[in-house]
Amino acid sequence: MMLELAQHGGWWWPLGEVECRSAIDAEVAKLPQIVAMCAGRSVAVQAGCNVGRVPVSLADQFDRVITFEPYIPNAVAAELNIGSANVQLYLAALGDRQGRVGTTTDAMN
């Protein structure tokens, strides 16, 4: 599989990805309200890293950010976007049991 990335708005994205951008923008816009409810701000655990916009935003507010992304094209883009020593990215999914998972880019109905 040949992985192709492109920059959009200063962020690396898998080539052709356009649907998630506005959803990620909406999530980033909610972060100040969510972070304000967090005491201490030592560690943030964030699932669904996508291309790293949410963990990068959290990195300024927390001592350490642990994030997970199972989809390889997103994880590669996230590695390029994160660039922060206090963010740890794991190529993995979170779930209620241990095991292997697959990913798909098909729209969910």
Side-chain angles (χ1 to χ4, degrees):
M1 169 172 100
M2 180 145 187
L3 180 61
E4 294 184 33
L5 302 173
Q7 279 197 312
H8 178 78
W11 295 88
W12 288 101
W13 292 86
L15 190 64
E17 170 56 67
V18 294
E19 294 177 17
C20 286
R21 292 181 197 156
S22 60
I24 298 300
D25 288 343
E27 293 301 312
V28 170
K30 294 177 193 173
L31 285 179
Q33 293 172 316
I34 295 168
V35 170
M37 294 185 279
C38 300
R41 299 185 189 163
S42 178
V43 178
V45 177
Q46 192 267 333
C49 176
N50 192 266
V51 299
R53 292 208 42 222
V54 171
V56 166
S57 295
L58 292 172
D60 291 336
Q61 303 294 320
F62 289 85
D63 296 334
R64 183 174 169 210
V65 178
I66 302 168
T67 188
F68 301 85
E69 177 55 52
Y71 185 55
I72 292 171
N74 284 350
V76 171
E79 285 183 343
L80 293 171
N81 291 327
I82 289 173
S84 175
N86 68 328
V87 177
Q88 295 174 287
L89 169 63
Y90 291 91
L91 182 61
L94 298 181
D96 63 351
R97 61 188 167 274
Q98 188 175 5
R100 296 181 63 89
V101 299
T103 58
T104 182
T105 57
D106 295 339
M108 298 178 77
N109 296 321

